[in-house]
Amino acid sequence: MRFKGLDLNLLVVFNALMETRSVTRSAERIGLTQPATSAALRRLRDYFGDEIVVAVGKRMHPTPFAEGLYPQIQQALRGVERAITAPTAFDPATSNRCFRIIGSDYIMVAVLVPLIERFGRTAPGVRVEIVQPNESSAGELEAGKADLLVTPEPFLATWHPHEVLFEEEQVVVGWAENPIFARGITEEDFYAAGHVTIAFGANRTPAFADSTLSRMGRERMVEVTVSSFASAPWFIEGTSRLAVLHERLVRQIARRFNLAWSPMPFAFPKMNEMMQFHQSRADDAGLSWLRQQMREVAAEAA
């Protein structure tokens, strides 16, 4: 099919070239031979009057024109995909849809584990793929590679719709035999102790509590930094170290570790945990159902 003189099949080739940066891998992805893919690239170059991708060493790199065109082509292809694959209604009892959710292990424990237990009763064919957050999470949502991003409010991609999943308190966590929990933790106790902190991704982005404490200006003695919330208890139990973690998570992990927790010994903001989805998915019945299920599970765990 042609539109304004362009064979629309070439847009699929363009998208594959931008994702793989390779004629060979693009051919494999879209089921063409390498000569056919090379011919498609020549036709793209002729139509747009641009090289699209150029060889630098052993790798293809997109031109500035192609980089600017890419988001528009992605959006167009996603629209076509939704039009031809999305059902007019969503029936959880019969659906075998797989939802891809970007969320921390905290969200996994606090919401997704009980959510999937619920699916076993009400939506047995629905599957969930959970991806840890990193510095590329907003880009994955933008590119349509994730259905839902679950993150604290400061880390939202502000140009897409979002809603509150729940409000969360932060608490001080430590070994249950640490005497400061018996007498009540003071602010001086808090800052005198060694701390375990959490940071995500290659850029080591601190978790909500740790980034908030950093902005408060008083320095802590950070002895250990881990890349997941679930790792923190291993460095707390049997020591005098403390950590600031989400209350929902602590209630779960305290069943498996000998931990105690208490409220923060000074004023500390609550965290709004948010759900965010791509603007183009606003009318997705399945995604609306998923978000409602998550809100209900989060309310039950409060």
Side-chain angles (χ1 to χ4, degrees):
M1 179 179 177
R2 291 184 176 273
F3 182 76
K4 296 187 180 295
L6 174 67
D7 180 352
L8 296 182
N9 291 314
L10 294 178
L11 298 184
V12 177
V13 178
F14 174 88
N15 187 67
L17 286 166
M18 294 297 288
E19 288 189 351
T20 67
R21 313 293 173 94
S22 165
V23 172
T24 301
R25 290 199 297 275
S26 293
E28 293 171 350
R29 174 173 294 191
I30 59 183
L32 294 178
T33 64
Q34 185 168 337
T37 305
S38 295
L41 175 57
R42 288 195 296 273
R43 293 168 65 193
L44 281 166
R45 287 168 167 166
D46 290 342
Y47 183 85
F48 288 111
D50 185 84
E51 286 297 295
I52 305 298
V53 289
V54 294
V56 179
K58 296 183 178 180
R59 188 168 173 82
M60 305 293 285
H61 290 262
T63 64
F65 171 81
E67 290 278 19
L69 184 62
Y70 183 37
Q72 301 172 64
I73 299 301
Q74 278 187 309
Q75 185 173 357
L77 291 175
R78 285 200 300 270
V80 171
E81 182 180 14
R82 287 193 304 276
I84 63 177
T85 62
T88 55
F90 177 80
D91 181 2
T94 59
S95 174
N96 61 358
R97 181 168 173 179
C98 180
F99 292 100
R100 195 166 194 256
I101 301 173
I102 300 175
S104 68
D105 53 337
Y106 151 59
I107 288 299
M108 181 179 69
V109 171
V111 177
L112 297 182
V113 169
L115 178 76
I116 293 171
E117 289 176 356
R118 173 186 283 211
F119 286 178
R121 301 186 300 272
T122 62
V126 170
R127 294 161 293 134
V128 176
E129 181 183 354
I130 305 164
V131 182
Q132 281 281 322
N134 57 48
E135 54 275 0
S136 302
S137 293
E140 291 187 10
L141 185 76
E142 179 68 30
K145 295 179 179 179
D147 295 291
L148 200 62
L149 171 63
V150 185
T151 186
E153 192 168 16
F155 305 123
L156 288 171
T158 55
W159 54 92
H160 285 300
H162 51 270
E163 59 187 326
V164 176
L165 177 57
F166 57 79
E167 189 178 68
E168 180 72 295
E169 295 277 5
Q170 305 298 301
V171 296
V172 185
V173 185
W175 185 32
E177 297 182 34
N178 187 333
I180 64 175
F181 285 95
R183 68 171 185 262
I185 295 177
T186 67
E187 183 171 350
E188 291 308 312
D189 291 331
F190 180 86
Y191 282 103
H195 282 251
V196 179
T197 65
I198 295 91
F200 300 105
N203 293 340
R204 311 307 293 142
T205 302
F208 170 83
D210 296 312
S211 61
T212 302
L213 283 162
S214 294
R215 291 193 300 271
M216 293 175 74
R218 187 168 176 181
E219 191 171 347
R220 290 181 293 163
M221 293 192 300
V222 176
E223 295 182 353
V224 182
T225 299
V226 295
S227 59
S228 68
F229 294 105
S231 301
W234 297 94
F235 298 94
I236 295 173
E237 192 174 46
T239 78
S240 60
R241 297 188 192 104
L242 303 175
V244 180
L245 299 174
H246 315 292
E247 185 178 1
R248 277 178 174 81
L249 175 67
V250 172
R251 290 204 304 264
Q252 295 295 326
I253 62 176
R255 301 173 185 176
R256 295 165 174 80
F257 293 87
N258 188 24
L259 300 179
W261 72 91
S262 74
M264 294 291 288
F266 44 83
F268 200 78
K270 291 183 178 181
M271 180 190 75
N272 283 330
E273 190 73 21
M274 312 293 289
M275 295 187 291
Q276 183 162 53
F277 52 95
H278 198 285
Q279 176 64 53
S280 64
R281 305 274 183 94
D283 297 324
D284 184 329
L287 188 56
S288 296
W289 171 82
L290 175 66
R291 300 196 324 266
Q292 178 61 30
Q293 297 297 302
M294 291 178 66
R295 286 192 295 269
E296 291 177 9
V297 168
E300 290 171 0

PDB file of all heavy atoms in Angstrom, residues 41-67:
ATOM      1  N   LEU A  41      16.143  -0.221   2.246  1.00  0.00           N
ATOM      2  CA  LEU A  41      16.881   0.940   2.752  1.00  0.00           C
ATOM      3  C   LEU A  41      17.177   1.922   1.620  1.00  0.00           C
ATOM      4  O   LEU A  41      17.054   3.143   1.798  1.00  0.00           O
ATOM      5  CB  LEU A  41      18.177   0.477   3.422  1.00  0.00           C
ATOM      6  CG  LEU A  41      19.123   1.588   3.896  1.00  0.00           C
ATOM      7  CD1 LEU A  41      18.426   2.535   4.868  1.00  0.00           C
ATOM      8  CD2 LEU A  41      20.365   0.978   4.554  1.00  0.00           C
ATOM      9  N   ARG A  42      17.543   1.398   0.447  1.00  0.00           N
ATOM     10  CA  ARG A  42      17.800   2.297  -0.698  1.00  0.00           C
ATOM     11  C   ARG A  42      16.540   3.066  -1.069  1.00  0.00           C
ATOM     12  O   ARG A  42      16.593   4.262  -1.365  1.00  0.00           O
ATOM     13  CB  ARG A  42      18.294   1.482  -1.890  1.00  0.00           C
ATOM     14  CG  ARG A  42      19.715   0.957  -1.738  1.00  0.00           C
ATOM     15  CD  ARG A  42      20.276   0.481  -3.076  1.00  0.00           C
ATOM     16  NE  ARG A  42      19.536  -0.660  -3.609  1.00  0.00           N
ATOM     17  CZ  ARG A  42      19.812  -1.923  -3.306  1.00  0.00           C
ATOM     18  NH1 ARG A  42      20.816  -2.207  -2.473  1.00  0.00           N
ATOM     19  NH2 ARG A  42      19.102  -2.918  -3.827  1.00  0.00           N
ATOM     20  N   ARG A  43      15.386   2.399  -1.008  1.00  0.00           N
ATOM     21  CA  ARG A  43      14.130   3.079  -1.336  1.00  0.00           C
ATOM     22  C   ARG A  43      13.782   4.144  -0.299  1.00  0.00           C
ATOM     23  O   ARG A  43      13.260   5.220  -0.628  1.00  0.00           O
ATOM     24  CB  ARG A  43      13.014   2.057  -1.449  1.00  0.00           C
ATOM     25  CG  ARG A  43      13.177   1.110  -2.651  1.00  0.00           C
ATOM     26  CD  ARG A  43      12.226  -0.064  -2.572  1.00  0.00           C
ATOM     27  NE  ARG A  43      10.837   0.369  -2.660  1.00  0.00           N
ATOM     28  CZ  ARG A  43       9.797  -0.406  -2.362  1.00  0.00           C
ATOM     29  NH1 ARG A  43      10.005  -1.644  -1.916  1.00  0.00           N
ATOM     30  NH2 ARG A  43       8.563   0.055  -2.482  1.00  0.00           N
ATOM     31  N   LEU A  44      14.064   3.854   0.968  1.00  0.00           N
ATOM     32  CA  LEU A  44      13.861   4.861   2.013  1.00  0.00           C
ATOM     33  C   LEU A  44      14.749   6.078   1.761  1.00  0.00           C
ATOM     34  O   LEU A  44      14.309   7.235   1.903  1.00  0.00           O
ATOM     35  CB  LEU A  44      14.183   4.264   3.392  1.00  0.00           C
ATOM     36  CG  LEU A  44      13.116   3.373   4.026  1.00  0.00           C
ATOM     37  CD1 LEU A  44      13.713   2.588   5.190  1.00  0.00           C
ATOM     38  CD2 LEU A  44      11.928   4.201   4.513  1.00  0.00           C
ATOM     39  N   ARG A  45      16.001   5.822   1.424  1.00  0.00           N
ATOM     40  CA  ARG A  45      16.935   6.922   1.146  1.00  0.00           C
ATOM     41  C   ARG A  45      16.459   7.764  -0.028  1.00  0.00           C
ATOM     42  O   ARG A  45      16.525   9.005  -0.002  1.00  0.00           O
ATOM     43  CB  ARG A  45      18.328   6.351   0.885  1.00  0.00           C
ATOM     44  CG  ARG A  45      19.025   5.846   2.135  1.00  0.00           C
ATOM     45  CD  ARG A  45      20.254   5.024   1.806  1.00  0.00           C
ATOM     46  NE  ARG A  45      21.071   4.805   3.008  1.00  0.00           N
ATOM     47  CZ  ARG A  45      22.048   3.920   3.077  1.00  0.00           C
ATOM     48  NH1 ARG A  45      22.362   3.165   2.013  1.00  0.00           N
ATOM     49  NH2 ARG A  45      22.740   3.786   4.201  1.00  0.00           N
ATOM     50  N   ASP A  46      15.969   7.088  -1.088  1.00  0.00           N
ATOM     51  CA  ASP A  46      15.491   7.819  -2.259  1.00  0.00           C
ATOM     52  C   ASP A  46      14.275   8.665  -1.918  1.00  0.00           C
ATOM     53  O   ASP A  46      14.159   9.825  -2.355  1.00  0.00           O
ATOM     54  CB  ASP A  46      15.135   6.830  -3.378  1.00  0.00           C
ATOM     55  CG  ASP A  46      16.359   6.166  -3.990  1.00  0.00           C
ATOM     56  OD1 ASP A  46      17.479   6.699  -3.795  1.00  0.00           O
ATOM     57  OD2 ASP A  46      16.199   5.120  -4.652  1.00  0.00           O
ATOM     58  N   TYR A  47      13.344   8.083  -1.140  1.00  0.00           N
ATOM     59  CA  TYR A  47      12.102   8.808  -0.842  1.00  0.00           C
ATOM     60  C   TYR A  47      12.373  10.037   0.025  1.00  0.00           C
ATOM     61  O   TYR A  47      11.846  11.132  -0.246  1.00  0.00           O
ATOM     62  CB  TYR A  47      11.102   7.884  -0.150  1.00  0.00           C
ATOM     63  CG  TYR A  47       9.773   8.562   0.125  1.00  0.00           C
ATOM     64  CD1 TYR A  47       8.789   8.591  -0.857  1.00  0.00           C
ATOM     65  CD2 TYR A  47       9.518   9.196   1.339  1.00  0.00           C
ATOM     66  CE1 TYR A  47       7.575   9.230  -0.639  1.00  0.00           C
ATOM     67  CE2 TYR A  47       8.311   9.832   1.573  1.00  0.00           C
ATOM     68  CZ  TYR A  47       7.344   9.853   0.583  1.00  0.00           C
ATOM     69  OH  TYR A  47       6.153  10.503   0.804  1.00  0.00           O
ATOM     70  N   PHE A  48      13.162   9.858   1.093  1.00  0.00           N
ATOM     71  CA  PHE A  48      13.379  10.964   2.041  1.00  0.00           C
ATOM     72  C   PHE A  48      14.556  11.851   1.655  1.00  0.00           C
ATOM     73  O   PHE A  48      14.737  12.918   2.259  1.00  0.00           O
ATOM     74  CB  PHE A  48      13.606  10.394   3.447  1.00  0.00           C
ATOM     75  CG  PHE A  48      12.362   9.824   4.074  1.00  0.00           C
ATOM     76  CD1 PHE A  48      12.224   8.455   4.271  1.00  0.00           C
ATOM     77  CD2 PHE A  48      11.313  10.652   4.462  1.00  0.00           C
ATOM     78  CE1 PHE A  48      11.071   7.922   4.850  1.00  0.00           C
ATOM     79  CE2 PHE A  48      10.162  10.135   5.041  1.00  0.00           C
ATOM     80  CZ  PHE A  48      10.038   8.768   5.228  1.00  0.00           C
ATOM     81  N   GLY A  49      15.361  11.440   0.690  1.00  0.00           N
ATOM     82  CA  GLY A  49      16.514  12.236   0.318  1.00  0.00           C
ATOM     83  C   GLY A  49      17.527  12.338   1.438  1.00  0.00           C
ATOM     84  O   GLY A  49      18.178  13.373   1.623  1.00  0.00           O
ATOM     85  N   ASP A  50      17.678  11.239   2.185  1.00  0.00           N
ATOM     86  CA  ASP A  50      18.579  11.220   3.342  1.00  0.00           C
ATOM     87  C   ASP A  50      19.162   9.817   3.459  1.00  0.00           C
ATOM     88  O   ASP A  50      18.534   8.825   3.056  1.00  0.00           O
ATOM     89  CB  ASP A  50      17.806  11.571   4.621  1.00  0.00           C
ATOM     90  CG  ASP A  50      18.706  11.686   5.842  1.00  0.00           C
ATOM     91  OD1 ASP A  50      19.294  12.764   6.045  1.00  0.00           O
ATOM     92  OD2 ASP A  50      18.826  10.675   6.580  1.00  0.00           O
ATOM     93  N   GLU A  51      20.357   9.715   4.026  1.00  0.00           N
ATOM     94  CA  GLU A  51      21.012   8.425   4.152  1.00  0.00           C
ATOM     95  C   GLU A  51      20.336   7.505   5.182  1.00  0.00           C
ATOM     96  O   GLU A  51      20.564   6.303   5.187  1.00  0.00           O
ATOM     97  CB  GLU A  51      22.485   8.613   4.530  1.00  0.00           C
ATOM     98  CG  GLU A  51      23.362   9.108   3.390  1.00  0.00           C
ATOM     99  CD  GLU A  51      23.410   8.096   2.263  1.00  0.00           C
ATOM    100  OE1 GLU A  51      23.939   6.987   2.471  1.00  0.00           O
ATOM    101  OE2 GLU A  51      22.891   8.416   1.183  1.00  0.00           O
ATOM    102  N   ILE A  52      19.563   8.024   6.080  1.00  0.00           N
ATOM    103  CA  ILE A  52      18.841   7.294   7.124  1.00  0.00           C
ATOM    104  C   ILE A  52      19.809   6.675   8.138  1.00  0.00           C
ATOM    105  O   ILE A  52      19.774   7.006   9.325  1.00  0.00           O
ATOM    106  CB  ILE A  52      17.895   6.212   6.552  1.00  0.00           C
ATOM    107  CG1 ILE A  52      16.934   6.844   5.537  1.00  0.00           C
ATOM    108  CG2 ILE A  52      17.115   5.540   7.691  1.00  0.00           C
ATOM    109  CD1 ILE A  52      16.028   7.902   6.093  1.00  0.00           C
ATOM    110  N   VAL A  53      20.639   5.732   7.700  1.00  0.00           N
ATOM    111  CA  VAL A  53      21.690   5.182   8.568  1.00  0.00           C
ATOM    112  C   VAL A  53      22.994   5.148   7.777  1.00  0.00           C
ATOM    113  O   VAL A  53      22.989   4.919   6.568  1.00  0.00           O
ATOM    114  CB  VAL A  53      21.348   3.763   9.093  1.00  0.00           C
ATOM    115  CG1 VAL A  53      20.243   3.807  10.115  1.00  0.00           C
ATOM    116  CG2 VAL A  53      20.999   2.822   7.960  1.00  0.00           C
ATOM    117  N   VAL A  54      24.105   5.381   8.484  1.00  0.00           N
ATOM    118  CA  VAL A  54      25.419   5.363   7.838  1.00  0.00           C
ATOM    119  C   VAL A  54      26.341   4.465   8.648  1.00  0.00           C
ATOM    120  O   VAL A  54      26.209   4.341   9.869  1.00  0.00           O
ATOM    121  CB  VAL A  54      26.022   6.779   7.727  1.00  0.00           C
ATOM    122  CG1 VAL A  54      25.189   7.641   6.797  1.00  0.00           C
ATOM    123  CG2 VAL A  54      26.119   7.439   9.097  1.00  0.00           C
ATOM    124  N   ALA A  55      27.273   3.832   7.963  1.00  0.00           N
ATOM    125  CA  ALA A  55      28.215   2.926   8.625  1.00  0.00           C
ATOM    126  C   ALA A  55      29.325   3.728   9.275  1.00  0.00           C
ATOM    127  O   ALA A  55      29.974   4.562   8.637  1.00  0.00           O
ATOM    128  CB  ALA A  55      28.792   1.945   7.616  1.00  0.00           C
ATOM    129  N   VAL A  56      29.529   3.482  10.576  1.00  0.00           N
ATOM    130  CA  VAL A  56      30.654   4.052  11.321  1.00  0.00           C
ATOM    131  C   VAL A  56      31.351   2.868  11.972  1.00  0.00           C
ATOM    132  O   VAL A  56      30.847   2.285  12.935  1.00  0.00           O
ATOM    133  CB  VAL A  56      30.207   5.069  12.375  1.00  0.00           C
ATOM    134  CG1 VAL A  56      31.424   5.611  13.130  1.00  0.00           C
ATOM    135  CG2 VAL A  56      29.419   6.201  11.744  1.00  0.00           C
ATOM    136  N   GLY A  57      32.510   2.485  11.432  1.00  0.00           N
ATOM    137  CA  GLY A  57      33.147   1.269  11.891  1.00  0.00           C
ATOM    138  C   GLY A  57      32.308   0.081  11.479  1.00  0.00           C
ATOM    139  O   GLY A  57      31.899  -0.055  10.320  1.00  0.00           O
ATOM    140  N   LYS A  58      31.991  -0.785  12.431  1.00  0.00           N
ATOM    141  CA  LYS A  58      31.203  -1.980  12.143  1.00  0.00           C
ATOM    142  C   LYS A  58      29.728  -1.805  12.469  1.00  0.00           C
ATOM    143  O   LYS A  58      28.964  -2.768  12.420  1.00  0.00           O
ATOM    144  CB  LYS A  58      31.759  -3.172  12.935  1.00  0.00           C
ATOM    145  CG  LYS A  58      33.176  -3.564  12.529  1.00  0.00           C
ATOM    146  CD  LYS A  58      33.639  -4.785  13.306  1.00  0.00           C
ATOM    147  CE  LYS A  58      35.036  -5.210  12.878  1.00  0.00           C
ATOM    148  NZ  LYS A  58      35.499  -6.411  13.632  1.00  0.00           N
ATOM    149  N   ARG A  59      29.318  -0.588  12.790  1.00  0.00           N
ATOM    150  CA  ARG A  59      27.945  -0.376  13.243  1.00  0.00           C
ATOM    151  C   ARG A  59      27.286   0.728  12.434  1.00  0.00           C
ATOM    152  O   ARG A  59      27.936   1.681  12.004  1.00  0.00           O
ATOM    153  CB  ARG A  59      27.960  -0.021  14.734  1.00  0.00           C
ATOM    154  CG  ARG A  59      26.588   0.037  15.379  1.00  0.00           C
ATOM    155  CD  ARG A  59      26.729   0.096  16.883  1.00  0.00           C
ATOM    156  NE  ARG A  59      25.466   0.322  17.556  1.00  0.00           N
ATOM    157  CZ  ARG A  59      24.572  -0.627  17.825  1.00  0.00           C
ATOM    158  NH1 ARG A  59      24.815  -1.864  17.461  1.00  0.00           N
ATOM    159  NH2 ARG A  59      23.447  -0.345  18.455  1.00  0.00           N
ATOM    160  N   MET A  60      25.980   0.596  12.237  1.00  0.00           N
ATOM    161  CA  MET A  60      25.206   1.623  11.545  1.00  0.00           C
ATOM    162  C   MET A  60      24.708   2.645  12.566  1.00  0.00           C
ATOM    163  O   MET A  60      24.265   2.281  13.653  1.00  0.00           O
ATOM    164  CB  MET A  60      24.011   0.992  10.836  1.00  0.00           C
ATOM    165  CG  MET A  60      24.350  -0.142   9.883  1.00  0.00           C
ATOM    166  SD  MET A  60      25.283   0.400   8.447  1.00  0.00           S
ATOM    167  CE  MET A  60      24.018   1.205   7.474  1.00  0.00           C
ATOM    168  N   HIS A  61      24.767   3.901  12.188  1.00  0.00           N
ATOM    169  CA  HIS A  61      24.287   4.971  13.056  1.00  0.00           C
ATOM    170  C   HIS A  61      23.272   5.814  12.305  1.00  0.00           C
ATOM    171  O   HIS A  61      23.480   6.147  11.128  1.00  0.00           O
ATOM    172  CB  HIS A  61      25.447   5.849  13.528  1.00  0.00           C
ATOM    173  CG  HIS A  61      26.355   5.163  14.498  1.00  0.00           C
ATOM    174  ND1 HIS A  61      26.257   5.326  15.859  1.00  0.00           N
ATOM    175  CD2 HIS A  61      27.368   4.284  14.300  1.00  0.00           C
ATOM    176  CE1 HIS A  61      27.172   4.589  16.462  1.00  0.00           C
ATOM    177  NE2 HIS A  61      27.866   3.947  15.531  1.00  0.00           N
ATOM    178  N   PRO A  62      22.153   6.175  12.948  1.00  0.00           N
ATOM    179  CA  PRO A  62      21.132   6.983  12.271  1.00  0.00           C
ATOM    180  C   PRO A  62      21.603   8.411  12.045  1.00  0.00           C
ATOM    181  O   PRO A  62      22.380   8.965  12.833  1.00  0.00           O
ATOM    182  CB  PRO A  62      19.945   6.931  13.236  1.00  0.00           C
ATOM    183  CG  PRO A  62      20.542   6.651  14.566  1.00  0.00           C
ATOM    184  CD  PRO A  62      21.761   5.810  14.315  1.00  0.00           C
ATOM    185  N   THR A  63      21.105   9.008  10.984  1.00  0.00           N
ATOM    186  CA  THR A  63      21.387  10.416  10.715  1.00  0.00           C
ATOM    187  C   THR A  63      20.509  11.289  11.609  1.00  0.00           C
ATOM    188  O   THR A  63      19.502  10.814  12.170  1.00  0.00           O
ATOM    189  CB  THR A  63      21.080  10.745   9.249  1.00  0.00           C
ATOM    190  OG1 THR A  63      19.671  10.563   9.028  1.00  0.00           O
ATOM    191  CG2 THR A  63      21.877   9.849   8.307  1.00  0.00           C
ATOM    192  N   PRO A  64      20.847  12.563  11.769  1.00  0.00           N
ATOM    193  CA  PRO A  64      19.981  13.456  12.564  1.00  0.00           C
ATOM    194  C   PRO A  64      18.549  13.499  12.031  1.00  0.00           C
ATOM    195  O   PRO A  64      17.599  13.563  12.816  1.00  0.00           O
ATOM    196  CB  PRO A  64      20.677  14.811  12.422  1.00  0.00           C
ATOM    197  CG  PRO A  64      22.123  14.468  12.212  1.00  0.00           C
ATOM    198  CD  PRO A  64      22.105  13.211  11.377  1.00  0.00           C
ATOM    199  N   PHE A  65      18.397  13.451  10.706  1.00  0.00           N
ATOM    200  CA  PHE A  65      17.039  13.436  10.135  1.00  0.00           C
ATOM    201  C   PHE A  65      16.269  12.204  10.601  1.00  0.00           C
ATOM    202  O   PHE A  65      15.107  12.293  11.010  1.00  0.00           O
ATOM    203  CB  PHE A  65      17.119  13.465   8.610  1.00  0.00           C
ATOM    204  CG  PHE A  65      15.791  13.225   7.937  1.00  0.00           C
ATOM    205  CD1 PHE A  65      14.876  14.260   7.809  1.00  0.00           C
ATOM    206  CD2 PHE A  65      15.446  11.962   7.451  1.00  0.00           C
ATOM    207  CE1 PHE A  65      13.639  14.048   7.198  1.00  0.00           C
ATOM    208  CE2 PHE A  65      14.216  11.736   6.852  1.00  0.00           C
ATOM    209  CZ  PHE A  65      13.307  12.784   6.720  1.00  0.00           C
ATOM    210  N   ALA A  66      16.933  11.035  10.551  1.00  0.00           N
ATOM    211  CA  ALA A  66      16.263   9.797  10.955  1.00  0.00           C
ATOM    212  C   ALA A  66      15.923   9.810  12.443  1.00  0.00           C
ATOM    213  O   ALA A  66      14.853   9.336  12.845  1.00  0.00           O
ATOM    214  CB  ALA A  66      17.150   8.603  10.621  1.00  0.00           C
ATOM    215  N   GLU A  67      16.814  10.350  13.267  1.00  0.00           N
ATOM    216  CA  GLU A  67      16.548  10.447  14.706  1.00  0.00           C
ATOM    217  C   GLU A  67      15.311  11.290  14.959  1.00  0.00           C
ATOM    218  O   GLU A  67      14.498  10.973  15.831  1.00  0.00           O
ATOM    219  CB  GLU A  67      17.755  11.056  15.429  1.00  0.00           C
ATOM    220  CG  GLU A  67      18.976  10.160  15.500  1.00  0.00           C
ATOM    221  CD  GLU A  67      18.893   9.143  16.627  1.00  0.00           C
ATOM    222  OE1 GLU A  67      17.784   8.882  17.131  1.00  0.00           O
ATOM    223  OE2 GLU A  67      19.958   8.599  16.990  1.00  0.00           O
TER     224      GLU A  67
END
